[in-house]
Amino acid sequence: MRVGVCVPCRDEVHTGFAFDFARMAAHDASVRCKDGKGGLSLYTMPGTLIFDQREKLAEVAFKEGCDAVLFIDSDMRFPHDIISIMLSREVPIVGVNATTRRKPVTPTAKMLRKYMDGETLVHEWSNIDSRGKEGIEAVTAVGFGAVMIRREVFEKTGRPWFDAGWGASGVCGEDVYFCVKAGSEGFQTYVDHELSMHIRHIGTYEYGWKDFEQLEE
């Protein structure tokens, strides 16, 4: 199976991401692809419109014969065998439950619950906690920090695959938009709880005197 690794970014990527990306590509080439049954294609696209970047990256990857795409954002840390792990799950859409990179830190995998409150249809999103869990779990949506999607999902889901806008409960990002749209076509999204424990989201922090700890003499 040929996997297209798609990286939307801006002008630069983080050093930690670049290190993990190199280890991932080397591992995949030496383990999964050595028997001639696998393959790896690498794609990146700088820009600021994330939904447009994802749309074009997927388009190019499938045009060049990829069987699945692995989106990895350029501010993520991840294990070298992430491709083999995700492929082993054998589901159309599987992602990690990365945490946000700003406080308050929250999970990015979500479940949508719909219910009637009188005559009003309520859309209630809840965060998924991956701590202490094993295997994969069906969810409504995952953040696209690291997510693998099989070709058939794109083939059977009409374009645009990615978009952003206002939903019933507020702003809807391109990742949630995709998962919900794919779900309407019968493709379930899963979160990998075990893999999520090995994922980090690179953020920024402004250090000041409040962070200073006097060393004991």
Side-chain angles (χ1 to χ4, degrees):
M1 175 175 285
R2 176 163 291 278
V3 176
V5 182
C6 298
V7 183
C9 61
R10 295 202 175 185
D11 295 327
E12 301 175 346
V13 301
H14 291 274
T15 302
F17 165 84
F19 179 78
D20 290 347
F21 192 88
R23 293 178 69 238
M24 176 199 69
H27 176 270
D28 197 67
S30 64
V31 175
R32 193 178 66 87
C33 302
K34 67 179 181 180
D35 58 2
K37 296 181 180 179
L40 196 65
S41 297
L42 308 178
Y43 305 94
T44 186
M45 180 173 293
T48 57
L49 299 176
I50 186 66
F51 57 89
D52 184 57
Q53 290 171 280
R54 294 200 193 282
E55 187 87 10
K56 292 176 179 177
L57 284 166
E59 181 180 25
V60 171
F62 292 125
K63 184 177 181 180
E64 295 187 359
C66 291
D67 303 298
V69 294
L70 171 60
F71 282 108
I72 303 182
D73 286 346
S74 61
D75 56 359
M76 305 302 296
R77 300 296 310 270
F78 47 92
H80 65 280
D81 55 351
I82 186 172
I83 294 176
S84 297
I85 293 172
M86 286 185 157
L87 285 175
S88 73
R89 296 309 192 181
E90 297 184 340
V91 293
I93 308 171
V94 60
V96 302
N97 194 8
T99 60
T100 57
R101 61 178 184 172
R102 295 182 179 86
K103 294 182 178 181
V105 176
T106 58
T108 54
K110 300 179 181 297
M111 184 67 74
L112 175 63
R113 185 169 70 96
K114 299 180 182 180
Y115 62 93
M116 296 300 298
D117 184 5
E119 296 182 357
T120 304
L121 177 61
V122 178
H123 294 71
E124 183 177 84
W125 288 94
S126 58
N127 295 323
I128 303 297
D129 192 337
S130 288
R131 293 173 294 183
K133 295 182 180 179
E134 297 180 350
I136 61 176
E137 179 184 355
V139 295
T140 304
V142 293
F144 271 32
V147 59
M148 179 174 286
I149 308 164
R150 304 296 177 106
R151 184 187 187 100
E152 60 264 27
V153 180
F154 290 88
E155 290 178 337
K156 296 181 181 180
T157 303
R159 301 185 69 172
W161 298 313
F162 298 96
D163 203 349
W166 287 92
S169 57
V171 176
C172 175
E174 90 293 341
D175 43 13
V176 173
Y177 176 92
F178 179 90
C179 293
V180 171
K181 187 171 185 177
S184 69
E185 296 294 332
F187 294 103
Q188 178 65 58
T189 295
Y190 291 87
V191 60
D192 190 321
H193 293 301
E194 294 172 69
L195 181 57
S196 298
M197 294 298 103
H198 302 281
I199 298 295
R200 299 292 182 270
H201 201 171
I202 304 170
T204 57
Y205 183 78
E206 296 179 359
Y207 291 92
W209 281 103
K210 60 181 172 44
D211 304 299
F212 175 72
E213 295 182 7
Q214 180 66 52
L215 298 177
E216 294 184 3
E217 296 182 358

